[in-house]
């Protein structure tokens, strides 16, 4: 075998090795990605009961109940639906009603999301005053307005 053939064989082996390593890396990355679902997604039945997932939304005001020990129950809402969440553990410092939250866990047969980890979301990005006021909600009921999102919702329904 000539030196040229040896170099060509080495380059081909290197390309195949890099290709296999990239394929394995992308496969592992794809398997470990977890997107969060909204309460509307979960209640629509698009996610199987018992599957590990993340739930994201706003903690409804007035829904937080401490059930003894470290157990807490609350409702997570998006602009259309809400779902009850049960969690046994210490809540993060930023957790509070009306705040964004992402919860790891699974949906049980009674359509209660059983959380294993709670992440409180905070946003340091600028938000227009109208949107910030709408998300604060009505001080009497605690319900937030989805007015800034109506155009997106109606476009999605069409």
């Amino acid at each position: 075998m000539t030196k040229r053939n040896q170099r060509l064989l080495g380059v081909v082996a290197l390309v195949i090795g890099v290709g296999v390593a990239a394929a394995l890396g992308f496969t592992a990355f794809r398997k470990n990605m977890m997107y969060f679902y909204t309460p509307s997604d979960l209640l629509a039945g698009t996610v199987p009961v018992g599957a590990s997932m993340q739930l994201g939304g706003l903690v409804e005001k007035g829904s937080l109940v401490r059930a003894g020990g470290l157990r807490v129950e609350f409702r997570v809402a998006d602009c259309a639906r809400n779902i009850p969440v049960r969690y046994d553990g210490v809540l993060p410092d930023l957790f509070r009603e009306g705040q964004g939250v992402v919860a790891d866990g699974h949906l049980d047969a009674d359509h209660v999301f059983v959380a294993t980890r709670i992440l409180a979301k905070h946003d340091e990005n600028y938000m227009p005053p109208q949107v910030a006021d709408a998300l604060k909600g009505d001080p009497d009921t605690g319900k937030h307005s989805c007015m800034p999102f109506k155009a997106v919702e109606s476009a999605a329904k069409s």
Side-chain angles (χ1 to χ4, degrees):
M1 192 180 260
T2 65
K3 279 195 170 232
R4 183 175 182 200
N5 287 344
Q6 286 177 345
R7 269 187 263 141
L8 182 61
L9 186 62
V11 168
V12 168
L14 182 65
V15 168
I16 289 173
V18 169
V20 168
L24 291 174
F26 286 131
T27 302
F29 183 69
R30 190 171 3 136
K31 285 182 181 178
N32 290 325
M33 280 180 74
M34 285 184 69
Y35 298 103
F36 71 80
Y37 294 93
T38 64
S40 295
D41 294 334
L42 295 184
L43 295 174
T46 58
V47 181
V49 171
S52 291
M53 69 189 85
Q54 291 184 324
L55 169 68
L58 293 174
V59 177
E60 268 192 7
K61 289 194 177 187
S63 70
L64 181 63
V65 176
R66 299 195 184 270
L70 294 177
R71 176 170 281 191
V72 292
E73 296 176 0
F74 55 93
R75 298 186 78 75
V76 172
D78 58 11
C79 288
R81 317 272 305 265
N82 64 42
I83 191 164
V85 177
R86 185 174 57 236
Y87 176 64
D88 289 315
V90 178
L91 292 170
D93 291 338
L94 294 174
F95 181 89
R96 63 182 171 270
E97 294 176 339
Q99 185 74 21
V101 69
V102 174
D104 292 342
H106 66 277
L107 191 64
D108 71 4
D110 297 327
H111 294 306
V112 173
F113 190 83
V114 180
T116 56
R117 182 173 70 158
I118 301 289
L119 303 171
K121 293 173 58 181
H122 64 91
D123 190 11
E124 296 175 356
N125 297 329
Y126 171 76
M127 186 181 301
Q130 308 90 300
V131 175
D133 291 341
L135 288 176
K136 285 180 188 170
D138 183 5
D140 296 329
T141 64
K143 299 278 185 190
H144 68 279
S145 168
C146 291
M147 187 60 73
F149 309 107
K150 290 295 184 191
V152 175
E153 266 186 15
S154 61
K157 291 179 184 177
S158 301

